[in-house]
Amino acid sequence: MSPRRCLFAFAVVVLSAMKAVSAHAETIQIVMDKLVYSPVDVKATVGDTIEWVNSDILAHTATARNGDWDVTIAAKKTVSLVLKKAGAIDYYCRYHPNMKGRITIAPK
Amino acid sequence: MLVRLSAAIAAVCLLGSGALAQGAAKPTDPQIAHIAYTAGVIDVTAAKQALAKSKNKTVRSFAADMVRDHEAVNKQALALVKKLHVTPEDNDTSRALTKQAADKRTELAKLSGKAFDRAYVASEVAYHKTVNGALETVLIPSANNGELKSLLETGLKVFQGHQEHAEHVAAGLK
């Protein structure tokens, strides 16, 4: 195989692999409404995207207790995060510490 | 502050019961809007005093949360009254709330360090408890406009969270 053909074959493999990943990865929505995460308990897999939709008139955060991530979502905005590590993550809102949620992330 | 505020709320209650007796005088929507907005401004002012005086990280972060949330709710309230063409109307309850808040501010200004932190947070617990009670028993039931009622209900949910948050901070300061 010439170097050029080899590169092409490699690119095809990489692209198909990427396609396979994106086909399997899911987007999971968690709505923040009246200071509650809904659903409050979510099951996901590494590679999935969590989409926090803030329906409130207040800013919120989704802050992992173990420090893995800290996402700020302004009022009436949506912010996404791709899950990169497996584990059971408890998270909360730094601005409203009574808001609590959990995402259980299975390895791929 | 709780006692004084309760007196103010009692005044609102009197207005309410007077309404039952005379078929008038429960707080009107323009008055309710004014009371709710005033209550928000008071808490923002108190929080700014705390941000200027306190060095405690938890207290400062709580105060920053109060500024952020009450400003957000009041911004929404202003947008609503504009949309509804309602002019908030000053009233005895708003005036009493403002006067008591000014007295509290003067009292807190004389304190510093841990004494200030404890007094500020205790005042926040009491204040939110009183305002939430007034929202539940007087302001929400008296509101005529559906959108105003709904905003007050959202406010109540938010302020109940603040009360719990303040109680949690207070417990940590002991």
Side-chain angles (χ1 to χ4, degrees):
Chain A
M1 202 184 276
S2 74
R4 187 173 285 184
R5 285 193 64 170
C6 180
L7 189 64
F8 176 75
F10 178 72
V12 167
V13 168
V14 167
L15 283 174
S16 355
M18 280 168 72
K19 204 175 164 196
V21 168
S22 66
H24 284 106
E26 281 184 56
T27 297
I28 302 163
Q29 254 192 14
I30 300 175
V31 177
M32 298 151 140
D33 186 32
K34 295 201 163 53
L35 294 98
V36 173
Y37 297 110
S38 179
V40 70
D41 202 334
V42 160
K43 305 255 181 288
T45 305
V46 169
D48 286 353
T49 299
I50 298 290
E51 203 173 79
W52 278 283
V53 180
N54 184 359
S55 305
D56 276 337
I57 55 170
L58 312 166
H60 290 305
T61 77
T63 306
R65 293 230 180 255
N66 70 356
D68 270 4
W69 30 262
D70 182 11
V71 180
T72 302
I73 308 102
K76 306 284 178 193
K77 298 282 180 205
T78 297
V79 177
S80 299
L81 172 84
V82 178
L83 301 170
K84 294 190 172 134
K85 268 167 67 183
I89 314 280
D90 286 312
Y91 69 98
Y92 69 108
C93 170
R94 278 188 290 110
Y95 304 152
H96 311 97
N98 304 314
M99 285 176 72
K100 289 168 194 159
R102 187 179 170 90
I103 303 177
T104 310
I105 308 156
K108 196 147 55 179
Chain B
M1 179 127 190
L2 178 58
V3 174
R4 289 194 215 128
L5 272 174
S6 300
I9 299 310
V12 181
C13 294
L14 279 176
L15 272 175
S17 58
L20 289 176
Q22 300 159 21
K26 76 174 180 176
T28 62
D29 282 4
Q31 288 171 337
I32 292 169
H34 198 284
I35 295 166
Y37 189 84
T38 303
V41 169
I42 285 171
D43 208 49
V44 169
T45 312
K48 286 185 175 163
Q49 183 185 36
L51 286 170
K53 283 182 74 84
S54 179
K55 292 188 173 64
N56 181 295
K57 204 179 148 210
T58 315
V59 171
R60 293 181 62 82
S61 133
F62 172 79
D65 291 344
M66 294 307 105
V67 173
R68 189 185 313 105
D69 280 3
H70 284 282
E71 281 184 347
V73 172
N74 270 4
K75 190 177 151 202
Q76 208 70 21
L78 275 189
L80 180 61
V81 295
K82 198 173 165 194
K83 180 183 158 196
L84 299 175
H85 302 293
V86 166
T87 307
E89 185 186 307
D90 201 2
N91 56 82
D92 288 346
T93 306
S94 291
R95 279 188 283 269
L97 282 171
T98 305
K99 165 83 172 66
Q100 286 144 19
D103 292 348
K104 188 73 195 179
R105 204 156 54 242
T106 311
E107 188 188 315
L108 288 176
K110 292 173 193 152
L111 303 173
S112 58
K114 272 190 179 170
F116 172 85
D117 291 340
R118 286 201 192 104
Y120 164 66
V121 176
S123 162
E124 282 297 287
V125 172
Y127 184 72
H128 280 93
K129 216 178 260 182
T130 311
V131 169
N132 291 342
L135 277 166
E136 262 175 316
T137 58
V138 183
L139 303 178
I140 292 172
S142 303
N144 270 320
N145 180 278
E147 284 182 83
L148 176 63
K149 201 186 269 279
S150 157
L151 180 59
L152 293 171
E153 281 163 352
T154 303
L156 176 60
K157 187 90 193 160
V158 174
F159 308 150
Q160 281 169 338
H162 289 173
Q163 187 187 322
E164 282 176 44
H165 190 177
E167 282 164 351
H168 186 78
V169 176
L173 289 173
K174 273 173 189 163

